[in-house]
Amino acid sequence: MTAVTDHGPAADRARARSAAARGPGSRRRLRTPWRTRLEILFFVTPALVLFAVFLVVPVVQAGRYSLYDWNGLGPMDDFVGLANYASALGNEVFRGAVGHNLTIVVLSILIQLPLGLGIALLLNREIRGRTALRVIIFVPYVLAEVVASVVWFMLLQPNGAIDALLESIGLGGVVQLWLGDPDVALYTVMVVLTWKYLGLAVILMLAGLQGVPEELYEAAQIDGASWWQVQRRIAVPLLSPTIRTWVFLSMIGSLQQFDMVWILTAGGPANSTTTMATYLISQGTDRSLYGYASAVAVLLFGISFVLAALYQTFVLRPRSERRPETEVGR
């Protein structure tokens, strides 16, 4: 029946109307790319300007300063080329700072990931006081780093509140010079950083769990799966994009760690907690070696950029882009 009606007068009129309608539509489609490009340009330009002013220009300026032996005052007329970079890479304290940053990166992931994931899975259940527990866990993250650092600095003083608490529960033997012992100070800082940033991991993973369809949980329960099997086979695999994003944020934040370390220990004792950021600040502001400090800043930027690019390439990139051969083979 359809073949017959397609050749009738009514079909001819319909095709004529369709052709008339396609004419202006085709012109609109031709204009659409330009309009889309203008819209993109309109919305993206302010962000690009801010990106250039507050990121590109400072990085270029730091690269320029790093080529001079400059104390921050007067003209830059003592060109030293790459000597500041060679001096930084050959400096034992700077190499130790890089090691401390990498230690913080690894420990942050090893400690905060299982803790954050476990707490998020528990708080995703219907338990009494769940909202209050979420608030309590997230409060340290919203505190200013300076406030949190000053509070912990006071608590960790010799004969301070932490020592008194440990002695009151019979653990006086584990009391240490928490911020004064080079063998303990970095791990003490790590405990404070975990307390401060664990809330971010929990909130991100809780948000990711909200995106898991309820139908999957219900289907698993109908099949007789236990709570642990549901979490292990459904929740955690579907949470992997959120986990990868959190690991990336944790890695970059750990590489750039400055304020809390600076207030707690200022990089001491004996440079045992020095990070790249605290090292460049101490060299620039305390010793007025702005050219050298700029070289350290460029190295910090380069290390962060390389690690971020590698993580983006091998971890954050969608699986379909990482293994095109497999998709084609299917």
Side-chain angles (χ1 to χ4, degrees):
M1 294 297 292
T2 305
V4 173
T5 55
D6 283 347
H7 295 286
D12 294 339
R13 288 194 295 273
R15 279 195 291 271
R17 287 195 298 271
S18 176
R22 279 200 304 271
S26 300
R27 288 195 292 273
R28 282 198 297 274
R29 283 196 295 274
L30 289 176
R31 288 199 300 268
T32 298
W34 289 103
R35 181 175 180 178
T36 303
R37 291 171 186 171
L38 288 175
E39 289 175 352
I40 294 173
L41 187 64
F42 176 78
F43 288 108
V44 169
T45 298
L48 290 179
V49 170
L50 291 176
F51 183 80
V53 171
F54 292 106
L55 183 64
V56 177
V57 172
V59 170
V60 173
Q61 284 287 73
R64 175 170 167 257
Y65 296 155
S66 67
L67 302 178
Y68 291 86
D69 183 9
W70 185 47
N71 63 2
L73 300 174
M76 293 186 295
D77 52 8
D78 189 2
F79 183 79
V80 296
L82 300 178
N84 286 328
Y85 293 95
S87 179
L89 294 174
N91 188 285
E92 185 178 352
V93 177
F94 176 73
R95 294 201 303 271
V98 176
H100 296 153
N101 275 111
L102 296 178
T103 301
I104 293 174
V105 170
V106 174
L107 290 181
S108 295
I109 295 173
L110 291 180
I111 296 174
Q112 295 178 24
L113 177 57
L115 278 178
L117 180 60
I119 294 173
L121 292 176
L122 290 175
L123 292 182
N124 197 42
R125 304 181 69 179
E126 293 292 339
I127 58 175
R128 180 176 296 180
R130 183 174 64 172
T131 303
L133 289 174
R134 289 180 177 181
V135 172
I136 291 172
I137 291 174
F138 194 62
V139 161
Y141 181 72
V142 300
L143 280 177
E145 274 79 1
V146 173
V147 174
S149 302
V150 170
V151 170
W152 276 101
F153 179 79
M154 300 301 296
L155 292 175
L156 292 167
Q157 291 301 301
N159 299 319
I162 297 296
D163 290 354
L165 175 64
L166 291 174
E167 290 172 356
S168 67
I169 60 176
L171 296 177
V174 301
V175 170
Q176 303 283 333
L177 291 173
W178 303 110
L179 299 176
D181 187 341
D183 296 329
V184 177
L186 183 61
Y187 302 104
T188 303
V189 171
M190 196 59 234
V191 171
V192 178
L193 293 177
T194 300
W195 170 84
K196 180 71 173 67
Y197 296 111
L198 180 62
L200 175 64
V202 174
I203 289 298
L204 286 179
M205 293 178 192
L206 272 174
L209 288 172
Q210 305 309 309
V212 179
E214 286 293 331
E215 293 81 1
L216 296 178
Y217 292 127
E218 294 171 358
Q221 290 169 353
I222 292 174
D223 290 340
S226 64
W227 179 85
W228 170 247
Q229 288 173 324
V230 171
Q231 307 308 315
R232 187 164 59 91
R233 299 292 181 87
I234 296 177
V236 174
L238 292 178
L239 202 57
S240 58
T242 304
I243 293 175
R244 290 198 297 268
T245 302
W246 173 81
V247 170
F248 178 76
L249 296 175
S250 178
M251 180 181 68
I252 296 301
S254 299
L255 288 173
Q256 299 174 347
Q257 184 55 237
F258 167 72
D259 36 19
M260 298 198 71
V261 175
W262 185 258
I263 293 174
L264 286 171
T265 64
N271 296 315
S272 61
T273 60
T274 299
T275 63
M276 287 185 282
T278 61
Y279 179 72
L280 76 89
I281 291 296
S282 65
Q283 296 298 311
T285 58
D286 296 345
R287 303 182 62 183
S288 297
L289 300 174
Y290 285 94
Y292 179 76
S294 297
V296 174
V298 173
L299 289 173
L300 170 58
F301 172 78
I303 292 172
S304 301
F305 182 81
V306 169
L307 289 179
L310 291 175
Y311 193 84
Q312 173 68 34
T313 302
F314 295 106
V315 181
L316 284 182
R317 193 171 61 174
R319 184 173 299 177
S320 58
E321 297 180 11
R322 277 184 276 158
R323 294 188 298 181
E325 298 82 0
T326 305
E327 298 295 329
V328 172
R330 292 176 184 174

